[in-house]
Amino acid sequence: MTARRPVHPISIVGLPGSGKTTFLAALWHLVRSNDIDDCRLKFDSLKEGNYQHLMDIEARWLSAKEQERTQVAGVRTVSMDLSDREGRPVRVTFPDVPGEDYQHMWEQRAIADDLAHTLSGGNIMLLLNGNKIEAPNWVYDEAELCRKLSLPLPQGEAVAWQPSLAPTQVQLVDLLQTLRRPPLDCGPRRLAVMISLWDKASGEGKLPEPFLAEKLSLLDQYLRSGRDLWSWRVYGVSAQGGDYDSTQEGGIPSAQAALLREKDIPSERIRLVHGDAESHDLTEPLEWLMN
């Protein structure tokens, strides 16, 4: 009798525009093409099921076109049959969920039953857009800006607050705290924090952990406190490699996209940074999450 393939559920979590679909597209191409020799996990076999979604997003990734936003409400599970460096077969499953569903958890304090079931087990990969961080607005900064522009300082103007106005790191910390509370809590977990669009975010010359500490200090302090028992790592990831052609009508073609399409080995577009080490291997954080 053939041994059952171990299944490792990993939830890819992130707000809208965090790069979840692009990550899946790049990962699927990387493991199937086998054009990078030192990958931790490699493609093993197809399982029964519909791979059309993976093939579609891979085709857009290869053609350097922007991914369409995930429109299907609820959880769509993606499974990849892989093998590790010892040749042992493993199956990694990901829920492909619109970022709006995670935003809904923050804004409405509600979660659909199927997403709750998915998030109540397995380790977590948190994607955040390093080039799109909504920082807190400080009264001092607003006053200083008014002074420099010789504008009158607004007095007594009430601004209606709504959850969507909360800074990025506030939403992400709340999301992680929710995952460590009933009914989603399943005990201590591993967490890979993936700072996406690293090709843009890394322009300041910082490595991923110092970048997190400076740009998302609340999230960094929450994780370092160990209060919720996350075992965590921080990665910088550029799964795209540069600006892609817009798929919207009237969109201007990107010069970077043309250069990316000329690469002989598409997987070399990928850039993964952990500490001061860099590679093209998107399976490295998956291997760590599976252990």
Side-chain angles (χ1 to χ4, degrees):
M1 180 180 294
T2 303
R4 295 184 62 184
R5 183 182 296 266
V7 178
H8 300 271
I10 296 171
S11 292
I12 301 182
V13 174
L15 299 173
S18 57
K20 298 184 298 298
T21 301
T22 300
F23 179 88
L24 279 175
L27 175 65
W28 180 238
H29 175 79
L30 178 72
V31 298
R32 283 205 324 126
S33 64
N34 201 29
D35 54 11
I36 301 295
D37 292 333
D38 56 351
C39 285
R40 310 293 183 92
L41 302 172
K42 296 184 179 295
F43 181 76
D44 187 60
S45 65
L46 286 172
K47 65 179 287 290
E48 293 182 3
N50 181 11
Y51 277 80
Q52 191 58 50
H53 173 59
L54 286 172
M55 302 302 287
D56 289 344
I57 62 176
E58 181 196 13
R60 284 192 290 272
W61 184 84
L62 284 169
S63 61
K65 295 185 181 297
E66 289 181 352
Q67 294 290 340
E68 297 176 0
R69 297 287 292 275
T70 303
Q71 302 292 338
V72 178
V75 178
R76 173 170 50 188
T77 299
V78 173
S79 295
M80 297 185 185
D81 283 358
L82 309 173
S83 60
D84 64 16
R85 285 179 289 186
E86 283 71 45
R88 294 171 299 199
V90 296
R91 177 171 297 160
V92 185
T93 64
F94 310 91
D96 190 9
V97 180
E100 286 76 9
D101 284 20
Y102 296 115
Q103 194 168 50
H104 182 79
M105 289 173 60
W106 158 252
E107 295 182 5
Q108 304 298 325
R109 321 306 292 168
I111 184 172
D113 289 343
D114 55 351
L115 182 56
H117 176 74
T118 298
L119 294 178
S120 62
N123 290 321
I124 303 295
M125 177 178 284
L126 175 68
L127 265 79
L128 63 95
N129 187 330
N131 197 45
K132 186 182 176 183
I133 298 173
E134 294 293 338
N137 290 324
W138 301 103
V139 173
Y140 173 84
D141 294 335
E142 296 291 332
E144 185 66 10
L145 181 62
C146 288
R147 184 188 67 78
K148 290 180 177 179
L149 296 177
S150 300
L151 297 174
L153 187 65
Q155 298 291 334
E157 294 184 9
V159 177
W161 185 84
Q162 51 188 351
S164 61
L165 298 176
T168 301
Q169 59 183 338
V170 171
Q171 298 187 43
L172 294 178
V173 169
D174 182 82
L175 177 57
L176 292 178
Q177 288 179 324
T178 301
L179 291 170
R180 296 294 286 119
R181 303 290 182 271
L184 304 182
D185 185 29
C186 65
R189 305 200 214 188
R190 288 195 168 195
L191 170 70
V193 179
M194 312 290 289
I195 305 173
S196 66
L197 272 79
W198 189 246
D199 52 302
K200 298 182 181 294
S202 63
E204 300 181 22
K206 293 182 175 62
L207 295 174
E209 281 202 30
F211 180 94
L212 185 77
E214 179 176 324
K215 302 296 185 181
L216 298 116
S217 56
L218 177 66
L219 176 57
D220 179 73
Q221 291 168 28
Y222 162 72
L223 293 172
R224 291 186 187 280
S225 74
R227 180 175 181 271
D228 282 338
L229 302 178
W230 291 103
S231 297
W232 57 286
R233 283 186 176 184
V234 183
Y235 295 86
V237 59
S238 176
Q240 188 161 290
D243 291 330
Y244 278 12
D245 289 338
S246 173
T247 55
Q248 298 185 3
E249 186 175 351
I252 300 174
S254 165
Q256 283 187 332
L259 292 175
L260 291 170
R261 284 191 289 267
E262 292 176 1
K263 279 188 172 291
D264 293 332
I265 303 177
S267 295
E268 291 183 351
R269 302 177 189 175
I270 298 166
R271 182 182 175 205
L272 182 81
V273 180
H274 174 57
D276 57 2
E278 184 170 334
S279 74
H280 305 297
D281 186 9
L282 288 183
T283 72
E284 179 185 335
L286 297 183
E287 182 190 55
W288 179 76
L289 287 169
M290 288 163 46
N291 289 334

